[in-house]
Amino acid sequence: MGKLQQRLKDHELSLFISLPANDAALAKAALEEGADALKVHFNVGHRASGTHFGSLDEYEAEFRSIREQFDGPFGVVPSGSLEGVSKEDIMRLAPLGFDFYSIYAHHLPSFMLENHGLDRTFAINEQYDLDLVQSASDFGFTALEASIVPGSEYGTPLSFADVMKYRHLAKHSGLPVVIPSQRRFVPGDIAALRDAGVKAVMLGAIVVGKTEDELRRAVSEFRNAMDRLS
C-alpha cells in the first residue's frame, strides 16, 4: 500500500500543502507547522498562484531536498495539458522519491494508468458530471481531488453549496476526496469539511500565501483547527 493510500486509510482528516513554489525552505516550514503531505508542480501554469513551473530537470535537486526532509506522502502535478505529459518524466518520479501524482482527468493520458510505482490521483473541475467519477475507482485510483470551483470564483468564501457538492463526491465517488483551497478557507471551515466526509484538505497559495511567514501562520492555524476536532 502506498504512503498516500495508507495516510487516507488511517486518518479521518489530513492536512496537505500544495507548495506555492518548489522550495525546500517552504517545504520545511510547512512540515514544521504540521503538514501531513506535500505537493509540488512542474511543467504547468498554476492559475491560483499566478506561477509557471518549468521542467522536471529544473527542479530535480530541489525535489530531492524536499524528499529528504520527511517520510510522508509527497506528490506532484506533472503537467498542465494532455500534450505536455512526458512518459519519460513519469518514469522518473518514483526514483526521485515521489509517492503519488495529481493531474486533471482531461490531462491524463492512458499510459499514466499503468503502474509506475505511484499512487494515482486525479482532479475534476466544475464542468465534470459529478456522477461520472464513480467509474474511476475501477481504474485503481487512490483519491479524487475535487477542484470544482470556477476560476472566476477563486479566493471567495466557502459556501454550503460547495459543502453539498463535496459531500456528494465523498458519498458517491467510491474514492477518498481531497479538497484544494480554491475558496479562501478559514480554520472555521474545517468542521464542515470534515462533516462532509472529505479525507484531506489541501491548502494552496490562496490560503498559505507565497512567503514563509504567511505559510507558517496558515499551516499552524489549520493544524490547530484539525487537532481540536480530534
Side-chain angles (χ1 to χ4, degrees), residues 47-123:
R47 182 163 53 175
S49 66
T51 303
H52 178 77
F53 296 91
S55 70
L56 178 57
D57 288 338
E58 293 179 49
Y59 303 116
E60 181 173 341
E62 204 72 16
F63 291 160
R64 290 186 185 278
S65 179
I66 294 171
R67 175 74 284 180
E68 290 171 358
Q69 296 184 36
F70 80 123
D71 193 42
F74 185 30
V76 63
V77 179
S79 181
S81 70
L82 182 64
E83 297 79 13
V85 182
S86 160
K87 188 170 186 176
E88 291 74 20
D89 284 348
I90 299 302
M91 293 177 68
R92 292 168 62 187
L93 297 180
L96 280 173
F98 286 105
D99 303 299
F100 70 96
Y101 68 66
S102 174
I103 189 169
Y104 276 109
H106 55 282
H107 294 161
L108 196 158
S110 60
F111 74 79
M112 288 181 68
L113 299 174
E114 301 168 7
N115 183 4
H116 293 103
L118 302 161
D119 279 336
R120 301 194 291 270
T121 79
F122 73 101

Side-chain angles (χ1 to χ4, degrees), residues 180-219:
S181 61
Q182 298 171 303
R183 299 292 189 192
R184 188 175 293 278
F185 291 159
V186 297
D189 293 329
I190 291 298
L193 293 171
R194 188 275 311 270
D195 292 346
V198 307
K199 294 294 290 182
V201 176
M202 182 182 292
L203 303 182
I206 284 174
V207 171
V208 303
K210 295 186 178 182
T211 70
E212 182 178 331
D213 286 346
E214 290 173 323
L215 183 144
R216 281 187 179 276
R217 183 166 53 251
V219 177

Side-chain angles (χ1 to χ4, degrees), residues 7-189:
R7 177 76 207 181
L8 296 172
K9 176 177 179 290
D10 291 346
H11 296 83
E12 181 183 37
L13 187 63
S14 295
L15 180 60
F16 293 5
I17 304 301
S18 178
L19 293 175
N22 295 331
D23 185 321
L26 290 179
K28 182 174 185 289
L31 294 166
E32 288 179 347
E33 299 300 336
D36 298 313
L38 299 178
K39 187 177 81 170
V40 293
H41 304 71
F42 69 87
N43 193 29
V44 62
H46 191 252
R47 182 163 53 175
S49 66
T51 303
H52 178 77
F53 296 91
S55 70
L56 178 57
D57 288 338
E58 293 179 49
Y59 303 116
E60 181 173 341
E62 204 72 16
F63 291 160
R64 290 186 185 278
S65 179
I66 294 171
R67 175 74 284 180
E68 290 171 358
Q69 296 184 36
F70 80 123
D71 193 42
F74 185 30
V76 63
V77 179
S79 181
S81 70
L82 182 64
E83 297 79 13
V85 182
S86 160
K87 188 170 186 176
E88 291 74 20
D89 284 348
I90 299 302
M91 293 177 68
R92 292 168 62 187
L93 297 180
L96 280 173
F98 286 105
D99 303 299
F100 70 96
Y101 68 66
S102 174
I103 189 169
Y104 276 109
H106 55 282
H107 294 161
L108 196 158
S110 60
F111 74 79
M112 288 181 68
L113 299 174
E114 301 168 7
N115 183 4
H116 293 103
L118 302 161
D119 279 336
R120 301 194 291 270
T121 79
F122 73 101
I124 61 171
N125 63 23
E126 74 280 5
Q127 298 176 352
Y128 281 70
D129 179 344
L130 299 186
D131 292 323
L132 187 63
V133 300
Q134 294 180 50
S135 62
S137 60
D138 296 333
F139 291 88
F141 279 89
T142 301
L144 163 66
E145 185 174 329
S147 301
I148 57 176
V149 175
S152 61
E153 299 179 22
Y154 281 11
T156 58
L158 180 73
S159 72
F160 181 53
D162 300 318
V163 173
M164 287 191 293
K165 291 176 184 176
Y166 298 150
R167 178 60 175 160
H168 179 87
L169 289 169
K171 287 184 69 175
H172 300 294
S173 69
L175 292 169
V177 175
V178 178
I179 305 298
S181 61
Q182 298 171 303
R183 299 292 189 192
R184 188 175 293 278
F185 291 159
V186 297
D189 293 329

